[in-house]
């Protein structure tokens, strides 16, 4: 399997990373090189093998359904690039 | 006269307790060493006041008979751990200027135990790299130099390269590290220090900038095995804030340390004899085998048949998880925002991520996005998780025949900066011996055991059964005591 420039553009768009044409062109051989390397897994017979979900057996814990944290709006917003009126602000999304 | 920066964690702890010196003297000595070592670029942020405050608290606690386990011990903190009020960047432009209002659980535990912080240590950007050349803040330079007369700047290993360089250069007695595919063990081996990645889940991951969540695990790095045991005890333990953290008691690893390996069976996995392995790595491994035999262990040959597939498995799973974890950096809630003129929300995300991530991080996000995308998820991601199950099963079967495994840590000594970064794949191959234990979640440690012909340190790796950190530390101690590794870098910085 190999990727071309169109595929790289599509992946970059899915990953929300802007890429110039030059960057896309440079990325094509790099990704193909890595994908070629990981292609070797196809030779491993994994018939009947369950995908590993957790390396160490551990059960999912549920906590009590009650508020344990909160009332820290200033802390939550303190690293925001732009905060207004106690909210995160983003460019307008609705005309 | 005692050179305070040459002391180990145990020696500092005991010396402060016994009044041989004050904690403030120790903190001042290390602060001065840090300030005088800018050429190594090991620290992104220096926090001398934090170290001094903890030292003063330690000196006061001594007067009151209220010393804590790490009172008087200053440490370095990998800049992947959130630290309240101190910039935390994961060595990225994306998080430059980010000041968390909280401590990572591991950091909080260390501070509660009395440790002070000398600063935030440089690393590969978002912990992605094996040489420290992907940091936004410039690469760390290893304090080691080859003895061939050339002055090539060497890689301190990665991703915990700031941690390894700082410890080797006596800029801190110990530091935190994180290990996703070998990021504690490989830099430890490159710089002649010790480091242990405990069983997955021993240390809370809460507050550690996430790379690949099913692999990431924190651990200590220090100059000797005892110090690793001391720090690991403080760092480990259940955390309700991390669903993968193990709800188990933390053993008293330091107290139980024993270099007597009588009755232990140590397995030598034959598949780790990879093609093209340098003769000196082979010789180091043989030396390690002789050392553990001398400590009373029986050595047996074992097979881990899927070893050669571990790297490919890792380079599907780690980028896949990274692409998901790093989706949170979108310029909205924290970190960088790049808002081109007239940009809409989608444009802002794309511009921010293009600007904030370095080339290696982008490469891994793109690989991860690709292997998780519609049509490829099963062929790549599910397939890799199936092979991962086989790799874990290999270890389970090997541990039916032995208690521990002994291998080299890395396939070579430290390479020069710039030597491998033109080819990402060549760089990835450096982790060939460390990745399998990571995929299986096993405790594993590197201890220095010798020098190559150019005078650079080489490490041996010990891998244990799940939760058998004690066995790993004990074998590490046995090798450490017998190898008598005493080399240290000559100060040139």
């Amino acid at each position: 399997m190999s990727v071309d420039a169109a595929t790289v553009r599509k992946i970059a768009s899915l990953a929300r990373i802007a890429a110039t044409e030059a960057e896309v062109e440079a990325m094509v051989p790099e990704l193909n090189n890595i994908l070629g390397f990981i292609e070797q897994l196809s030779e491993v017979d994994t018939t009947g093998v369950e995908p590993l979900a957790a390396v160490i057996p551990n059960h999912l814990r549920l906590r009590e359904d009650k508020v344990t944290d909160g009332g820290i709006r200033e802390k939550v917003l303190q690293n925001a690039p732009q905060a207004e009126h106690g909210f995160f602000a983003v460019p307008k999304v609705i005309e | 006269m005692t050179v305070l920066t040459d002391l180990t964690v145990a020696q500092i702890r005991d010396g402060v307790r016994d009044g041989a010196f004050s904690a403030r003297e120790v903190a001042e000595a290390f602060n001065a060493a840090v300030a005088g070592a800018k050429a190594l670029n090991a620290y992104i942020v220096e926090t001398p006041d934090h170290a001094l405050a903890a030292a003063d608290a330690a000196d006061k606690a001594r007067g009151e008979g209220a010393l804590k386990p790490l009172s008087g011990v200053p440490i370095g903190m990998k800049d992947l751990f959130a630290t309240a009020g101190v910039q935390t960047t994961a060595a990225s432009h994306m998080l430059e200027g980010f000041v968390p209002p909280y401590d990572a659980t591991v950091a909080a535990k260390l501070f509660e135990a009395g440790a002070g912080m000398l600063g935030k240590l440089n690393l590969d950007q978002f912990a992605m790299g094996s040489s420290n050349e992907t940091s936004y803040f410039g690469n760390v330079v290893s304090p080691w130099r080859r003895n061939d007369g050339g002055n090539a700047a060497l890689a301190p290993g990665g991703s915990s390269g700031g941690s390894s360089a700082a410890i080797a250069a006596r800029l801190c007695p110990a530091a935190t590290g994180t290990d996703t595919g070998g990021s504690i063990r490989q830099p430890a081996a490159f710089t002649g220090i010790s480091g242990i990645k405990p069983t997955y889940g021993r240390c809370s991951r809460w507050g550690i900038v996430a790379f690949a969540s099913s692999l990431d695990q924190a651990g200590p790095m220090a100059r000797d095995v005892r110090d690793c045991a001391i720090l690991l005890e403080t760092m480990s333990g259940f955390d309700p804030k991390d669903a993968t953290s193990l709800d188990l008691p933390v053993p008293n690893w330091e107290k139980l340390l024993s270099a007597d390996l009588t009755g232990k069976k140590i397995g030598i996995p034959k598949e780790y004899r990879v093609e093209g392995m340098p003769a000196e790595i082979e010789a180091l491994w043989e030396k390690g085998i002789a050392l553990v035999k001398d400590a009373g262990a029986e050595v047996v040959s074992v097979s881990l048949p899927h070893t050669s597939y571990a790297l490919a498995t890792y380079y599907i799973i780690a980028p896949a998880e990274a692409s998901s974890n790093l989706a949170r950096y979108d310029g909205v809630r924290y970190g960088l925002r790049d808002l081109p003129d007239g940009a809409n929300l989608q444009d802002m995300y794309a511009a921010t991520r293009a600007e904030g991530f370095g080339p290696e991080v982008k490469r891994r996000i793109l690989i991860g996005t690709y292997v998780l995308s519609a049509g490829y998820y099963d062929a790549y991601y599910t397939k890799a998780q199936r092979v991962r199950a086989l790799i874990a099963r290999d270890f389970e079967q090997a541990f039916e025949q032995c208690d521990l495994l002994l291998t080299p840590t890395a396939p070579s000594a430290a390479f020069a900066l710039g030597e491998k970064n033109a080819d990402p794949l060549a760089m990835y191959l450096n982790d060939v011996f460390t990745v399998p234990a990571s995929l299986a979640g096993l405790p594993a440690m590197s201890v220095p055991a010798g020098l190559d012909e150019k005078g650079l340190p080489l490490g041996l790796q010990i891998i244990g059964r799940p939760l058998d950190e004690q066995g790993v530390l004990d074998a590490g101690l046995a090798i450490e005591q017998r190898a008598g590794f005493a080399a240290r870098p000559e100060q040139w910085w």
Side-chain angles (χ1 to χ4, degrees):
Chain A
M1 216 162 313
S2 73
V3 301
D4 54 18
T7 314
V8 172
R9 271 193 293 274
K10 183 176 171 231
I11 303 168
S13 140
L14 289 172
R16 304 285 185 271
I17 297 176
T20 63
E21 274 314 297
E23 285 169 331
V24 168
E25 288 303 326
M27 200 60 85
V28 169
E30 282 182 6
L31 294 193
N32 276 323
N33 197 18
I34 296 166
L35 290 170
F37 171 72
I38 61 184
E39 201 66 44
Q40 60 175 287
L41 291 194
S42 59
E43 62 192 61
V44 184
D45 181 6
T46 52
T47 316
V49 179
E50 280 299 307
L52 190 74
V55 285
I56 302 295
N58 200 355
H59 64 278
L60 194 63
R61 288 175 297 271
L62 299 177
R63 65 169 173 82
E64 229 182 305
D65 184 15
K66 64 177 190 194
V67 177
T68 57
D69 200 0
I72 50 167
R73 188 167 75 181
E74 276 176 28
K75 282 187 171 184
V76 170
L77 292 173
Q78 79 179 39
N79 278 289
Q82 198 189 345
E84 281 171 21
H85 317 299
F87 295 98
F88 295 111
V90 297
K92 196 159 71 173
V93 287
I94 304 169
E95 289 302 327
Chain B
M1 197 194 111
T2 309
V3 177
L4 294 174
T5 51
D6 279 345
L7 300 178
T8 63
V9 169
Q11 287 167 337
I12 293 170
R13 174 193 65 186
D14 298 349
V16 167
R17 181 195 60 207
D18 299 342
F21 39 76
S22 70
R24 179 164 259 272
E25 288 174 292
V26 174
E28 283 173 348
F30 277 106
N31 280 341
V34 170
K38 309 277 190 208
L40 301 178
N41 200 27
Y43 284 89
I44 294 175
V45 170
E46 295 170 16
T47 55
D49 293 342
H50 192 289
L52 289 175
D56 289 342
D59 288 331
K60 184 160 173 281
R62 180 176 181 268
E64 293 163 354
L67 286 170
K68 298 175 186 172
L70 293 175
S71 283
V73 179
I75 58 163
M77 189 71 71
K78 186 176 184 179
D79 197 27
L80 202 62
F81 292 78
T83 42
V86 179
Q87 178 184 261
T88 299
T89 67
S92 72
H93 184 34
M94 186 64 91
L95 282 172
E96 195 175 9
F98 173 68
V99 178
Y102 54 85
D103 282 322
T105 297
V106 164
K109 279 173 174 283
L110 288 163
F111 297 152
E112 278 159 23
M117 177 168 68
L118 293 158
K120 302 298 291 290
L121 292 159
N122 207 345
L123 65 149
D124 276 298
Q125 189 169 147
F126 286 107
M128 297 179 189
S130 305
S131 66
N132 244 270
E133 289 166 286
T134 70
S135 168
Y136 178 72
F137 301 99
N139 53 257
V140 177
V141 180
S142 172
W144 290 85
R145 289 263 162 100
R146 290 176 182 142
N147 62 11
D148 59 4
N151 273 333
L154 301 177
S159 66
S160 309
S163 305
S164 65
I167 294 164
R170 272 65 173 168
L171 311 183
C172 58
T176 54
T178 62
D179 192 311
T180 302
S183 282
I184 285 175
R185 292 160 284 159
Q186 182 255 21
F190 274 16
T191 56
I193 65 163
S194 297
I196 181 166
K197 177 197 91 73
T199 309
Y200 180 80
R202 271 288 190 202
C203 294
S204 166
R205 291 181 300 105
W206 192 84
I208 303 175
V209 176
F211 164 14
S213 302
S214 78
L215 295 154
D216 297 344
Q217 184 58 206
M221 300 169 76
R223 292 217 315 279
D224 69 17
V225 173
R226 176 171 299 275
D227 285 2
C228 285
I230 293 170
L231 261 84
L232 187 59
E233 278 181 40
T234 298
M235 293 167 69
S236 299
F238 176 63
D239 180 7
K241 291 175 182 160
D242 176 359
T244 59
S245 119
L246 296 168
D247 195 357
L248 294 169
V250 178
N252 196 331
W253 288 304
E254 186 201 6
K255 192 172 163 202
L256 298 171
L257 271 180
S258 162
D260 180 4
L261 303 183
T262 306
K264 294 275 185 191
K265 278 191 183 174
I266 298 194
I268 307 299
K270 62 179 187 205
E271 289 81 4
Y272 278 57
R273 280 181 210 283
V274 293
E275 211 178 309
M277 188 158 85
E280 51 200 9
I281 299 292
E282 183 83 34
L284 176 88
W285 201 4
E286 289 303 323
K287 179 180 166 186
I289 291 170
L291 296 179
V292 295
K293 278 184 183 166
D294 185 61
E298 183 191 337
V299 170
V300 295
S301 177
V302 297
S303 174
L304 300 168
H306 296 90
T307 298
S308 67
Y309 298 108
L311 268 184
T313 303
Y314 178 82
Y315 278 101
I316 294 172
I317 291 169
E321 294 183 7
S323 74
S324 172
N325 272 327
L326 272 60
R328 73 190 65 179
Y329 302 105
D330 57 8
V332 174
R333 288 160 302 155
Y334 44 78
L336 184 76
R337 169 179 292 192
D338 189 4
L339 185 59
D341 276 347
N344 63 25
L345 188 62
Q346 297 291 335
D347 299 333
M348 185 192 85
Y349 294 153
T352 299
R353 291 163 63 77
E355 173 71 17
F357 293 136
E360 180 62 26
V361 176
K362 284 183 194 168
R363 194 178 290 129
R364 295 197 194 191
I365 291 175
L366 292 180
I367 287 284
T369 304
Y370 182 71
V371 300
L372 290 178
S373 65
Y376 299 108
Y377 184 91
D378 281 335
Y380 284 111
Y381 187 69
T382 309
K383 178 76 180 181
Q385 291 287 46
R386 289 186 205 278
V387 179
R388 186 179 187 182
L390 292 174
I391 291 166
R393 190 193 293 172
D394 283 356
F395 279 109
E396 275 170 39
Q397 288 170 350
F399 284 130
E400 286 168 11
Q401 299 164 58
C402 63
D403 303 293
L404 298 159
L405 298 165
L406 176 69
T407 79
T409 307
S412 72
F415 45 84
L417 290 164
E419 199 172 286
K420 286 183 195 273
N421 56 4
D423 179 3
L425 212 47
M427 187 72 85
Y428 296 174
L429 294 173
N430 210 257
D431 298 330
V432 62
F433 297 138
T434 52
V435 155
S438 295
L439 288 169
L442 303 171
M445 117 172 270
S446 178
V447 289
L451 298 171
D452 77 347
E453 59 176 9
K454 289 178 179 152
L456 297 183
L458 298 171
L460 284 170
Q461 176 181 228
I462 303 127
I463 304 170
R465 292 193 181 102
L467 305 177
D468 187 22
E469 284 81 6
Q470 191 72 58
V472 172
L473 290 161
D474 286 356
L477 186 68
I479 291 171
E480 175 181 278
Q481 288 183 355
R482 284 166 179 79
F485 184 92
R488 56 182 288 182
E490 205 174 307
Q491 188 168 343
W492 53 264
W493 54 91

